[in-house]
Amino acid sequence: MMPLTFLQPDSMARVTAVQGGRGATARLAAMGIYPGVVVTLKRCGAGGPVIVQAGGSRFGIGRGMARRIMVKPVD
Amino acid sequence: MSEERQSGGKTGRGRIRVALAGNPNSGKTTIFNALTGARQHVGNYPGVTVERKEGRFCHGDRTVDVVDLPGTYSLTAYSPEEVVARDVIIEESPDLVVHVIDASNLERNLYLATQLAELSVPLVLVFNMTDVAQARGYEIDIAHLSELLRVPIVQTVGHRREGMEELKQTILDVANDPAGAKPATVHYGADIERELAKIVKLLKSDGGCPSVPGLRWLATKLLENDEVVREELKKQLGDPARVFSQVDASRQHLEREIGDDPEVLIADHRYGYISGACQEAVRSTVESRHTISDRIDFVVTNRVLGLPIFLLMMYLVFKLTFTLAEAPMGWTEALFAWMSKTVAGFWPAGSESALQSMLVDGVIGGVGGVLVFLPVIVLLFLAIAILEDSGYMARAAFLMDRVMHKIGLHGKSFIPMLLGFGCTVPAIMATRTLENRRDRLTTMLVLPLISCGARLPIYALFIPAFFPKRAQAPLLWGIYLIGIVLAVLLAKLLRSTLFRGETAPFVMELPPYRMPTIRSTLTHMWERAWLFLRKAGTVIVAFSVLLWVLTSYPKAPEENVRGLDPQQAASTELSYSVAGRIGHGLEPVMENVGFDWKTTTAMIGAFAAKEIFVAQLGIVHAIGEVDEESLPLREVLRREYTPLQAFCIMLFCLISVPCMVTIATTWRESGSWKWPALQLVGLTVLAYVVTFAVYQIGMLL
C-alpha cells in the first residue's frame, strides 16, 4: 500500500483507502474514487496537482489530497 | 425571483412539474435546451448565486414545466449546488425527477441516482451520449437495467436531439402513472440498517419531522453526518438531543464495528449496488486506452508546454474581449451621447431645468454607464463559455492550482484574477466557478486591486505630465505590480483571519474535450449577460442618480456664478455641491496623502466609474471637457501638484474601490450587503494607509 503520488505515470492501481478527512472522502466517492476502484495515474509532476483516470472520467486532484489516497499497484 | 415559481408542487390543473438532475458534464444542459427550446427563464436561487433555470414544453395536450437543477455528483451538503438541488426536490416536490446520465460513464453517474431514489420521488433515467458509450465499446441491456433499478430508462443523443420525443412521452406516462417509476433503494447491509431503524423509530416517536422526503432519508443523512439536515432538524424536532445522542451512538458503534466512517460505508454500499446491477446489464467489448482527449491532455498539461499554451489562450481571451468590444462600446457611447443631446434639445436654450439635467446627466448617463459595459461582458462570457464547453477551463485551473495554492487560493481563482485586468465586474462574476465560499469571497474581495482598464486613463494622464520619458513605462508597470502584490498579501491575510480554514482540496473533473456547439455557447453567454443587466443594472441606475444629485446640488447662488465663463461656472457649481463640500470637508484628512479638495471632489464623482475621474478633474480645474491626452489639464496639474502628489493620486486610485458597479456586483454575487461594505471600507482604508505612508515618507526624502 502506498500513496497515489508514488505510482509511476501511466500505471494502474486499486484504491485501498481514502484518508481524506470529513467531506473530502465523501466528495471523492461521489466523483468515483473510492476503495476498490482501479485508477490510472495519468500525470504526476514533481509538484502540483496530479491527473487520475477512474472509470470513464479524468480528474485533477491537488497534491495534498492525492497523497492521502492509498493505493495498491495492479498489473 | 421567478414569478413562475410556486410554493406548492403542482401548478394548476394539467401542468406537470419536472426537475432535471445530473452530474456536471453529463449533457444535462443540452437535454434541457432540447426539451424546452427558447422558452427559458433564468434567475438565481435566493441567497446563493446558483443559477435557477426554468423552461417549459408542450406535448400532447399537457404542458410540462422543467426546472434545471445545478449539476452535482451527489446530494450531500458539500456545495451550495448540492443543497439547492435537494431542496428543490424536497420543498417543491416535482411530479418527477429526470436524471441525465452520461452513458459512457455509467457507474459514477448512477451514484446520484441511488440518492435520488431515496428521496422517494418518481424517477426517469436518461442515458445520454449513447453514441459515445457505443464507441467506447459499452453494450447496455436497457430493458434489463430498467427492471433491476425499477425505473424507466430513455436513451438519447442530446446534441443530435435523438430520443427527445420518447423522453417527452415517458415524462407524460410517468406523470399519469407514477407507480411505474418507484426506484429501488439501496440496502445498506445488516449493521447500518439496524442503526437506521433505531433512528427512524426515534424520529417517528418525536413527530416533529417533515413528511417529505421520508424518515429513512433523514436517518441516512444524520448517519452521514450531514450538517445542513442536522441544523434543520434541530429546529424542528421536539427533543433533538434525544435523537442526536442516538445518531452519535450509532456512528460510533459503526466506526468501532466495521472500522470506517459511516459516510464511507454508505458510499461503499451504493457503489456495490450499482456495480452489481452493471455487471448484469452492461458488457464492455473493447478497452480503448488512448483517446483523443488523452493526446490533447498530454500536450496542454505538459510541464514545459502547459504554461505557454495557457498564457496564449488567456492572451486570446483578452484580445478577443477587449479588441472586439471596442467598436460596440464606441457605438453605445455615441448612441447615448446622441440620446442626451436629443433629450436636452426638448428644452429650448436658456430654459434648462433640473428635470432636464437629471434625465440627461443622471438617468441617461447612468443607463449608458451600464450598457457601455455590456459588449465586454457579452464577449467575455462568450470566451468563457467556449473555454468551459470545450473542456479547457478545467485544465487551466489544474495548471494554476500550484501557484494559487501558495497564496491560499484555489486553482480556479486564477481566471477571475486575470479577467480583472480588463474589468473588475465580469471578473467578480467569474468567481462563480469556485465551489468553496471562503475561496470565492476572498477572491471577490481582493479583485479590485487588480488594476482594471478604466484606471488606465488616470495613469495615462498623470505619468506623462510628471515623469521623464524613461521612467514612464517602468512606473506604469510598477503600479500594476503594486496592485498584484497587494492582492496576494490581502488574500493571504483574509485566508488567515476572516476566512481561516483549509483551501478546499483541489478535486476537479477534467471532462473530455468536446467541440462547443454554437447554440449552447450562445445560450450560456446570453443568460449571464441578461442576468447582469437586470440585476446589477437597476442598482447602478439608482446610484447614478444619487451621484448626479451629489455633484449638482445645492446650486451655487446666482451672484457667485454671474459674469463667469461657463467653465469657471461649472467649477464653482461643483465646488458648491455636496460632493464639493465633502471634498472641502475632507481636505484636512486628505492633505496627509497629498490630496487637495479638488482631487477629492473628482474622486467622489469618479465613484460612478473610474474613467470619469479625468473628466471631473477637468471640471474642478475649470478647463471644461477634457480627456487623458489633454495638454492644458496637464499644464494645470503640473502647476498645482508635485510628482510625489501625482504618484499618490495614482496609488489611491489603484487601491481604493474602482467603482459602484463593482460594489453592486459584489453585492449581487455574495448575496449580502456585508461583503461589498467590507470591500468598500477595507479597500478605502488600505488605500489611505498605503498612500499616507508613501506620501509622508516621500515628504521626508
Side-chain angles (χ1 to χ4, degrees):
Chain A
M1 217 167 86
M2 61 190 195
L4 181 66
T5 46
F6 285 18
L7 283 179
Q8 288 298 314
D10 257 327
S11 64
M12 286 169 40
R14 192 176 295 278
V15 174
T16 52
V18 180
Q19 299 156 347
R22 238 188 54 72
T25 307
R27 170 69 163 178
L28 280 172
M31 295 176 95
I33 297 173
Y34 52 95
V37 151
V38 173
V39 297
T40 311
L41 187 68
K42 284 288 181 186
R43 185 172 289 283
C44 181
V50 303
I51 298 184
V52 172
Q53 173 102 29
S57 323
R58 177 171 311 219
F59 301 96
I61 300 179
R63 204 164 194 89
M65 190 66 231
R67 282 201 203 96
R68 284 177 272 164
I69 299 173
M70 306 307 282
V71 296
K72 200 171 158 186
V74 293
D75 303 319
Chain B
M1 212 51 270
S2 154
E3 60 282 356
E4 285 164 45
R5 194 171 165 199
Q6 304 283 324
S7 50
K10 323 253 183 307
T11 58
R13 221 154 20 124
R15 283 272 181 97
I16 302 170
R17 278 189 66 88
V18 173
L20 203 61
N23 282 184
N25 311 311
S26 62
K28 189 165 66 70
T29 309
T30 318
I31 297 287
F32 178 74
N33 290 341
L35 275 180
T36 61
R39 276 158 295 177
Q40 297 184 4
H41 178 96
V42 193
N44 271 11
Y45 288 96
V48 284
T49 42
V50 176
E51 277 171 16
R52 182 190 172 99
K53 278 202 284 187
E54 288 172 75
R56 122 172 19 133
F57 68 87
C58 296
H59 189 72
D61 56 346
R62 306 291 297 268
T63 304
V64 183
D65 289 325
V66 188
V67 50
D68 188 18
L69 300 176
T72 61
Y73 293 104
S74 75
L75 293 179
T76 56
Y78 184 83
S79 66
E81 282 81 4
E82 296 190 358
V83 177
V84 161
R86 73 183 191 199
D87 281 355
V88 170
I89 298 173
I90 294 168
E91 282 162 21
E92 299 180 21
S93 57
D95 295 295
L96 64 142
V97 173
V98 172
H99 177 196
V100 181
I101 282 174
D102 170 4
S104 66
N105 206 342
L106 206 50
E107 298 200 14
R108 212 277 309 284
N109 277 255
L110 281 171
Y111 188 76
L112 179 62
T114 62
Q115 300 183 52
L116 290 168
E118 287 176 349
L119 288 168
S120 53
V121 53
L123 188 65
V124 170
L125 300 184
V126 172
F127 282 16
N128 194 25
M129 303 198 240
T130 40
D131 54 337
V132 182
Q134 267 162 17
R136 289 211 189 146
Y138 292 108
E139 279 175 27
I140 307 171
D141 183 344
I142 295 287
H144 191 40
L145 196 58
S146 167
E147 217 167 83
L148 285 170
L149 304 172
R150 283 193 256 143
V151 287
I153 299 175
V154 181
Q155 298 192 75
T156 58
V157 181
H159 63 95
R160 290 206 299 255
R161 300 177 163 239
E162 284 173 25
M164 299 316 296
E165 285 308 305
E166 197 195 338
L167 174 58
K168 287 179 179 175
Q169 190 54 47
T170 310
I171 290 173
L172 256 58
D173 292 347
V174 171
N176 288 332
D177 177 24
K182 281 267 147 59
T185 50
V186 180
H187 187 273
Y188 290 117
D191 290 305
I192 296 177
E193 290 292 340
R194 192 168 49 237
E195 302 305 320
L196 280 177
K198 284 185 201 165
I199 301 171
V200 166
K201 205 174 142 203
L202 277 178
L203 288 173
K204 195 182 273 171
S205 71
D206 187 278
C209 295
S211 57
V212 278
L215 299 179
R216 185 185 160 87
W217 186 80
L218 291 174
T220 315
K221 286 289 133 185
L222 286 173
L223 213 50
E224 283 182 303
N225 208 13
D226 186 300
E227 274 170 10
V228 176
V229 169
R230 214 176 147 115
E231 280 305 306
E232 197 51 45
L233 282 178
K234 201 187 248 171
K235 284 183 236 152
Q236 300 200 7
L237 289 177
D239 185 5
R242 186 153 153 260
V243 175
F244 291 160
S245 72
Q246 175 62 51
V247 171
D248 296 340
S250 294
R251 282 180 55 83
Q252 276 163 19
H253 173 77
L254 287 171
E255 263 169 56
R256 222 177 22 245
E257 290 291 298
I258 323 182
D260 230 331
D261 282 342
E263 51 260 55
V264 176
L265 294 172
I266 289 173
D268 269 355
H269 278 282
R270 287 185 184 138
Y271 273 115
Y273 168 81
I274 295 166
S275 85
C278 288
Q279 261 164 24
E280 279 197 44
V282 183
R283 233 157 45 89
S284 173
T285 46
V286 281
E287 178 90 357
S288 61
R289 296 206 46 181
H290 283 281
T291 58
I292 298 172
S293 278
D294 254 326
R295 265 170 260 158
I296 302 177
D297 265 346
F298 186 77
V299 180
V300 302
T301 65
N302 187 288
R303 281 186 71 190
V304 184
L305 293 174
L307 208 59
I309 293 175
F310 168 74
L311 292 175
L312 180 73
M313 293 291 237
M314 290 304 125
Y315 178 75
L316 288 178
V317 167
F318 247 79
K319 199 78 185 143
L320 174 83
T321 310
F322 294 98
T323 315
L324 290 186
E326 232 166 74
M329 280 175 99
W331 303 333
T332 319
E333 270 174 0
L335 177 73
F336 277 87
W338 173 81
M339 275 171 69
S340 297
K341 229 171 127 187
T342 314
V343 172
F346 293 160
W347 281 263
S351 72
E352 289 85 359
S353 69
L355 179 67
Q356 180 216 26
S357 169
M358 191 192 84
L359 278 179
V360 172
D361 302 327
V363 177
I364 298 179
V367 174
V370 178
L371 286 186
V372 86
F373 280 105
L374 195 62
V376 190
I377 287 179
V378 167
L379 285 166
L380 198 62
F381 282 146
L382 176 69
I384 292 181
I386 293 172
L387 287 182
E388 267 177 354
D389 290 358
S390 67
Y392 185 74
M393 201 60 122
R395 274 77 181 181
F398 172 87
L399 279 168
M400 290 318 296
D401 185 61
R402 195 176 174 182
V403 180
M404 299 307 281
H405 201 86
K406 290 216 168 81
I407 59 171
L409 286 175
H410 197 273
K412 291 183 192 169
S413 303
F414 188 77
I415 314 252
M417 294 284 202
L418 201 80
L419 297 177
F421 286 113
C423 176
T424 318
V425 173
I428 288 177
M429 295 173 87
T431 60
R432 285 186 182 180
T433 49
L434 289 158
E435 282 161 359
N436 182 308
R437 192 163 165 81
R438 286 194 304 258
D439 291 341
R440 185 163 178 220
L441 284 172
T442 310
T443 313
M444 238 187 251
L445 292 179
V446 306
L447 263 175
L449 287 167
I450 304 295
S451 190
C452 70
R455 279 173 271 190
L456 196 56
I458 304 173
Y459 312 143
L461 172 73
F462 278 95
I463 293 180
F466 287 93
F467 301 96
K469 201 141 195 93
R470 62 187 161 73
Q472 289 176 3
L475 201 61
L476 185 64
W477 180 79
I479 286 194
Y480 275 85
L481 197 67
I482 291 170
I484 297 167
V485 170
L486 282 173
V488 168
L489 292 178
L490 195 62
K492 271 202 110 121
L493 180 74
L494 285 171
R495 285 311 311 242
S496 54
T497 53
L498 214 49
F499 305 119
R500 197 197 294 269
E502 264 189 51
T503 315
F506 183 83
V507 183
M508 203 178 159
E509 186 173 356
L510 307 177
Y513 291 97
R514 284 190 202 121
M515 204 55 175
T517 65
I518 294 174
R519 194 192 161 84
S520 85
T521 310
L522 290 182
T523 313
H524 267 150
M525 175 191 88
W526 173 244
E527 280 167 358
R528 291 174 183 171
W530 178 234
L531 208 61
F532 162 78
L533 265 186
R534 227 182 36 195
K535 298 295 185 177
T538 45
V539 179
I540 292 158
V541 171
F543 260 110
S544 310
V545 174
L546 183 71
L547 279 170
W548 168 80
V549 171
L550 288 182
T551 50
S552 316
Y553 287 95
K555 288 276 173 214
E558 190 63 28
E559 61 269 25
N560 289 22
V561 284
R562 199 176 300 135
L564 293 177
D565 64 54
Q567 285 153 9
Q568 277 170 332
S571 167
T572 312
E573 289 282 3
L574 186 54
S575 161
Y576 202 79
S577 71
V578 175
R581 286 160 194 234
I582 296 175
H584 279 293
L586 285 176
E587 200 160 28
V589 184
M590 297 303 283
E591 247 173 20
N592 297 327
V593 296
F595 278 47
D596 60 0
W597 74 268
K598 291 176 180 170
T599 338
T600 314
T601 306
M603 198 76 153
I604 294 166
F607 186 53
K610 265 281 151 1
E611 62 268 36
I612 294 180
F613 185 70
V614 174
Q616 290 270 317
L617 270 183
I619 298 173
V620 280
H621 287 288
I623 307 175
E625 295 272 309
V626 292
D627 60 20
E628 68 267 25
E629 300 293 327
S630 165
L631 291 175
L633 180 56
R634 281 189 186 153
E635 276 300 319
V636 173
L637 292 175
R638 249 200 304 274
R639 225 172 29 233
E640 297 206 6
Y641 307 114
T642 65
L644 178 62
Q645 275 176 310
F647 182 72
C648 285
I649 290 169
M650 290 191 287
L651 204 57
F652 199 91
C653 285
L654 165 74
I655 305 170
S656 63
V657 166
C659 61
M660 62 176 185
V661 193
T662 303
I663 296 295
T665 313
T666 307
W667 164 63
R668 276 298 310 148
E669 296 294 315
S670 66
S672 116
W673 272 112
K674 203 164 64 180
W675 303 115
L678 179 72
Q679 192 178 44
L680 179 63
V681 176
L683 288 176
T684 311
V685 170
L686 182 69
Y688 189 82
V689 170
V690 173
T691 318
F692 181 85
V694 171
Y695 188 64
Q696 296 300 331
I697 293 169
M699 293 283 278
L700 293 176
L701 298 178

